[in-house]
Structures are given as structure tokens and as C-alpha cells.
Amino acid sequence: GAVVSQHPSRVICKSGTSVKIECRSLDFQATTMFWYRQFPKQSLMLMATSNEGSKATYEQGVEKDKFLINHASLTLSTLTVTSAHPEDSSFYICSARDRTSPEAFFGQGTRLTVV
Amino acid sequence: GQNIDQPTEMTATEGAIVQINCTYQTSGFNGLFWYQQHAGEAPTFLSYNVLDGLEEKGRFSSFLSRSKGYSYLLLKELQMKDSASYLCARKDGDYKLSFGAGTTVTVRA
């Protein structure tokens, strides 16, 4: 199957700083990428949908100025958590869709801890 | 929301069969996925149903009834490594996925 690489897998940052998470499709072109957040023992909550070359579509309740998404190429999308606070600590997961398949492929996830 | 409901936890013994049910709102439905997720890891794809009926893939099978807004994932010949969370996800429109809260399956020896 298709491979989606997410980096870093773990990051610890100080409160008030920004963190960038990268999501790459390694062997296919992903016109659409998705960013999810997952709190412990809860399901994945879609944060935003990212389309190459256009602005991301954010889900209700997600602050677009705090969670900056850039999808500059068909193989790379980035999520920047700006001015991070401890409540932003979570597991962030990206997924990407190959237009030829209904399935979305997930990255390995990023465990963010804000101290 | 999409009101995707699945049981929170299930326990079974090694070698047994477990069925995880999932119900969802039918409006706008465009397909049903099942994913497996081990703690601290990303979900991995198990199955995709878009038409009514049973899809069998090795020890795992998935069933869909579109009119009833119902699906189940059947795990046969359970192994210890099957202990994980199983996520039911509804596809809305072209590509958006809405996930259920997940069912934690514990396999005991």
C-alpha cells in the first residue's frame, strides 16, 4: 500500500513556542491530506482538510490561526501549532488520499507534549 | 455529528470469535471503513464496505447494511496480537472520514 511518513514522531516543547509537524506521501501524489487530533482513549477528531495549492478547510471549533496548515506540494503538508499550551498536548495524525483509491493512508502520528 | 456508535470495550479468549457492531446515521453515507489501532500508533486499514453484504479477508470480515445504518467487524481465531482498538469510520461525500470512539478489544489467554 501507499506510504505516508510523518515527522517528528515525538516532540516536547515549552509553552508559548511553535511546533511544526510534517506529513509526506512517499510514493503517490496526495491532492488531499487530513489532520486529526486524538486525546487519550478518545477517537480521532478531524481538525482540517488540506488541499494542495489552496487554503485548508477547518472543522468547527478548530482555530485556524493557531493550527497553521500548509500544503505547498502534492507530497507535503505541514501543521504548525503556534503558541503551544499544555492543553494542546495530544497525538496528531495526518492521512493522505491517493485519488485512485477510496482508502486514506495514515502517517505514524506525532506525540506532542507541551510543558 | 455523525452519531457513530460502537461499544467501548470487549474481551474474548484466544481462538474465539468477536463481533464489533457499529451504527451510524445514513444521511450522506458514502462508505464504511474499519481500522485497527494499537496504543500510541496510527490506525491501519482493515476493510472498506460500500455495498451491502459481507467482505471476507482472512481472519477479518466486515458486514454492511446501508438501509439499517449498521456494520460489524468480525474477528475470527483471535490471537493475542489482535488486542487493540478498532475504529469504525464513516465516509461522507468524496473523502471525509468521521470516526467512532473506538472499541478496545482485549484478548486473553
Side-chain angles (χ1 to χ4, degrees), chain A residues 49-96:
Chain A
T49 303
S50 165
N51 292 296
E52 185 265 337
S54 64
K55 291 183 179 180
T57 302
Y58 289 81
E59 295 298 302
Q60 192 172 6
V62 178
E63 299 173 58
K64 61 181 180 182
D65 294 330
K66 179 170 183 62
F67 299 100
L68 301 180
I69 292 173
N70 183 280
H71 192 161
S73 77
L74 285 171
T75 59
L76 174 65
S77 177
T78 61
L79 167 67
T80 301
V81 182
T82 62
S83 187
H85 291 285
E87 56 265 31
D88 297 325
S89 298
S90 185
F91 192 50
Y92 292 86
I93 309 175
C94 72
S95 73

Side-chain angles (χ1 to χ4, degrees), chain A residues 7-101:
Chain A
H7 178 81
S9 58
R10 291 179 180 273
V11 58
I12 301 173
C13 71
K14 291 185 178 180
S15 187
T17 62
S18 296
V19 173
K20 181 185 283 188
I21 303 169
E22 292 187 349
C23 181
R24 295 180 185 273
S25 56
L26 297 186
D27 52 2
F28 68 98
Q29 293 185 332
T31 53
T32 305
M33 290 186 173
F34 308 89
W35 288 96
Y36 294 86
R37 181 167 51 184
Q38 186 177 33
F39 292 105
K41 298 190 177 182
Q42 296 185 26
S43 191
L44 283 74
M45 298 300 296
L46 181 64
M47 299 174 67
T49 303
S50 165
N51 292 296
E52 185 265 337
S54 64
K55 291 183 179 180
T57 302
Y58 289 81
E59 295 298 302
Q60 192 172 6
V62 178
E63 299 173 58
K64 61 181 180 182
D65 294 330
K66 179 170 183 62
F67 299 100
L68 301 180
I69 292 173
N70 183 280
H71 192 161
S73 77
L74 285 171
T75 59
L76 174 65
S77 177
T78 61
L79 167 67
T80 301
V81 182
T82 62
S83 187
H85 291 285
E87 56 265 31
D88 297 325
S89 298
S90 185
F91 192 50
Y92 292 86
I93 309 175
C94 72
S95 73
R97 181 174 171 263
D98 176 346
R99 69 179 73 189
T100 65
S101 168

Side-chain angles (χ1 to χ4, degrees), chain B residues 3-4 36 45-46 50 66 107:
Chain B
N3 289 342
I4 301 168
Q36 181 192 60
F45 171 80
L46 291 178
V50 64
R66 289 173 297 171
V107 181

Side-chain angles (χ1 to χ4, degrees), chain B residues 15-70:
Chain B
I17 298 174
V18 70
Q19 178 175 315
I20 306 170
N21 298 322
C22 172
T23 59
Y24 59 87
Q25 286 186 350
T26 57
S27 175
F29 174 81
N30 198 24
L32 197 291
F33 288 86
W34 284 96
Y35 284 87
Q36 181 192 60
Q37 185 180 28
H38 285 98
E41 299 180 11
T44 54
F45 171 80
L46 291 178
S47 68
Y48 173 62
N49 294 69
V50 64
L51 299 176
D52 290 349
L54 186 67
E55 296 273 347
E56 296 188 79
K57 193 184 294 186
R59 294 190 298 114
F60 294 0
S61 303
S62 57
F63 172 83
L64 178 69
S65 169
R66 289 173 297 171
S67 62
K68 295 182 179 178
Y70 168 68

Side-chain angles (χ1 to χ4, degrees), chain B residues 68-96:
Chain B
K68 295 182 179 178
Y70 168 68
S71 172
Y72 69 71
L73 178 70
L74 195 68
L75 314 180
K76 293 181 279 190
E77 301 171 19
L78 278 174
Q79 301 175 8
M80 299 300 287
K81 67 178 182 179
D82 297 330
S83 293
S85 181
Y86 292 84
L87 307 176
C88 171
R90 198 194 98 137
K91 184 175 156 191
D92 307 321
D94 225 9
Y95 50 75
K96 185 173 173 180

